[in-house]
């Protein structure tokens, strides 16, 4: 979701808007009425673009802020890698609605929900408290640009997710 769609350039608000979109997409993935393959493609692209933009543009700046816990930032990056592994497992699980697919969907959902909860309680609250409005807007602009570059590069394809998992395992 771009800054103009949510009416804010604040990086915290932009990240939270993505988090709510993840939750919507998980609901779509659980519903037998929708296009689950399209919902998976949408979720995959947004998850990957979001994580890579956070790690490239947001986490390095927050890490330099003394009041933002470096361990929490590092843990957030580790949880992105865990999410990539669970996402790849879902891509590889076969047809939507099968027992294996449903199981992999729940593993991905649990991994992402855990990460969102922790990130919102720690990193994002710390950023609200320690990063000024102007810098949060600068970070929001950088996050939005990096995220869009990844989305334009079709970062959600299974092959790209597989390459991320392979690089995370090295």
């Amino acid at each position: 979701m771009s800054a103009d769609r949510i009416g804010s350039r604040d990086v915290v608000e932009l990240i939270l808007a993505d988090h709510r979109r993840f939750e919507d997409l998980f609901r779509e993935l659980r519903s037998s009425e929708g296009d689950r393959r399209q919902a998976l493609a949408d979720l995959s692209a947004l998850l990957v673009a979001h994580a890579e933009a956070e790690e490239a543009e947001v986490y390095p700046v927050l890490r330099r802020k003394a009041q933002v816990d470096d361990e929490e930032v590092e843990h957030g990056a580790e949880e992105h890698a865990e999410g990539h592994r669970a996402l790849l497992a879902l891509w590889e699980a076969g047809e939507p609605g099968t027992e294996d697919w449903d199981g992999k969907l729940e593993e991905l959902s649990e991994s992402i929900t855990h990460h969102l909860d922790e990130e919102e309680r720690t990193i994002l609250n710390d950023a609200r408290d320690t990063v000024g409005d102007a810098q949060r807007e600068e970070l929001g602009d950088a996050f939005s640009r990096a995220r869009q570059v990844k989305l334009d590069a079709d970062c959600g394809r299974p092959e790209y997710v597989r390459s991320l998992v392979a690089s995370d395992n090295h």
Side-chain angles (χ1 to χ4, degrees):
M1 195 164 298
S2 64
D4 58 329
R5 290 200 46 210
I6 70 163
S8 177
R9 292 174 42 219
D10 183 320
V11 71
V12 173
E13 297 306 316
L14 293 169
I15 289 171
L16 289 172
D18 277 359
H19 289 185
R20 302 299 74 85
R21 181 67 182 136
F22 296 148
E23 292 164 352
D24 292 343
L25 287 165
F26 278 120
R27 278 190 285 284
E28 288 180 39
L29 284 163
R30 289 184 183 101
S31 172
S32 61
E33 295 177 2
D35 182 346
R36 291 176 172 180
R37 281 284 170 200
Q38 185 59 54
L40 176 56
D42 293 347
L43 178 68
S44 185
L46 186 57
L47 273 175
V48 170
H50 176 95
E52 291 199 319
E54 277 185 339
E55 289 181 29
E57 301 296 336
V58 181
Y59 285 3
V61 173
L62 296 182
R63 204 178 247 129
R64 289 192 295 270
K65 291 283 185 183
Q67 291 88 0
V68 175
D69 190 321
D70 191 52
E71 287 180 29
E72 290 297 338
V73 171
E74 187 62 37
H75 184 65
E78 290 168 9
E79 287 182 341
H80 287 163
E82 181 182 306
H84 293 148
R85 288 189 295 274
L87 178 60
L88 181 60
L90 181 58
W91 272 117
E92 295 177 342
E95 287 302 308
T98 62
E99 190 174 324
D100 186 40
W101 197 87
D102 287 344
K104 298 298 185 202
L105 173 59
E106 286 315 304
E107 288 174 21
L108 175 60
S109 176
E110 288 172 14
S111 172
I112 299 304
T113 300
H114 169 83
H115 171 67
L116 302 184
D117 176 60
E118 278 192 356
E119 186 174 70
E120 289 175 17
R121 285 185 296 108
T122 59
I123 296 170
L124 297 183
N125 278 337
D126 288 349
R128 280 187 183 107
D129 294 341
T130 63
V131 180
D133 293 348
Q135 188 171 24
R136 285 202 317 267
E137 284 190 0
E138 288 172 20
L139 280 173
D141 292 343
F143 171 78
S144 293
R145 280 191 304 273
R147 184 178 161 281
Q148 192 60 54
V149 166
K150 291 296 180 178
L151 289 170
D152 291 346
D154 198 18
C155 65
R157 350 179 269 294
E159 301 79 17
Y160 187 77
V161 176
R162 192 172 294 112
S163 74
L164 288 174
V165 169
S167 67
D168 288 339
N169 290 332
H170 288 103

